[in-house]
Amino acid sequence: MHIHEPKRILLGNLPTPVVELKNLAGDLGVERVLLKRDDLTGVELSGNKVRKLEYVVADVLEKGCDTLVTHGGFQSNHCRATAAIGARLGLRVRLILRAAVEKPVVEGNLLLDSLFGAVISYHLPEEYNGRRKELIEGAMEEERRAGRRPYFFPVGASVPLGTWGYIRCVHELVQQLGAETKVDLYSAVSSSGTHAGLMLGKGLFGLEKWRVVGVPVSDSVEYFREEVGGLVGRTVEEFGLGVGEMPMEFLDGFIGRGYAMETEEGMEAMKLMGRREGIALDPTYTGKGFAGFLHAMRSGMIREGAVPVYVHTGGVFGLMARGDLFA
């Protein structure tokens, strides 16, 4: 794929397909709308997380580690994918999860975490946000004292190694759409690794006709300019990538009340995709991100002659835990 690509272990069902949303295109009165089905990277491993973990876990194995330590919300797609990978490869998995109650209902992603045998600790938001570094260090030390070799990576595997997952995704899209096709590429932005990888892919493969737009679903545009910019910079430095400064583009206004809190626009997007295309989005990531994508198409924000493409990053198991939205 690229001369500087690090080692990777094949875990996902790749490449994922690009599909036409013909009913939606007709409803919107546009020629084409495309969806990159990264929700189809696997069943237990579904979504964007497995792309990043292919590189991170390759490093885990190369270093001879036997325990994966990571963190996230109690319905984290990233933690569920990590638990599944651990079970598949015979690695112990330890999850540090944020939850609003001491014993959350075991459903959705959390049910799968338990099924896959992950060791789980729950922490109320005050403790998780205020003592996260201490909680991680404590878990790592406990694993070492037990004679294990733990390896830590943060939520979303959003580290320089992880960005290669979405550099590879861009490489797939080039093969599927063509480098000379004018593309407006949208995705949800939360832990920064996906968007950083998409930006780097555009730069590394010289895609001058492509535009990469992120729709924040958890934090402000100012926050993501710093987070994504920092991750891009660290990746360029760590791997010696010869790319210059790249503009960051975000479409704001779709976060709503905050992370993992549904919005009216997101629910509309979920229902529209479900009823017109038979495709499931989730209320935390893809529903909000797709709401921004719909707004861009309805408001004439897609460039003339460009093909609008949305990257579906998964989240179906999180949706399974939100039956209350459809009660």
Side-chain angles (χ1 to χ4, degrees), residues 248-261:
M248 280 184 282
E249 189 169 356
F250 298 101
L251 178 56
D252 201 8
F254 296 91
I255 299 169
R257 294 171 295 150
Y259 174 72
M261 298 182 186

Side-chain angles (χ1 to χ4, degrees), residues 19 58-59 74 82 93 101 111 117 155 218-219 239 285 290 297 313:
V19 300
D59 191 51
F74 76 101
T82 300
V93 174
V101 295
L111 185 154
V155 60
S218 58
D219 292 282
F239 293 97
Y285 302 105
F290 202 84
M297 289 187 287
T313 50

Side-chain angles (χ1 to χ4, degrees), residues 185-198:
L185 186 66
Y186 282 71
S187 70
V189 183
S190 184
S191 64
S192 299
T194 296
H195 194 64
L198 293 174

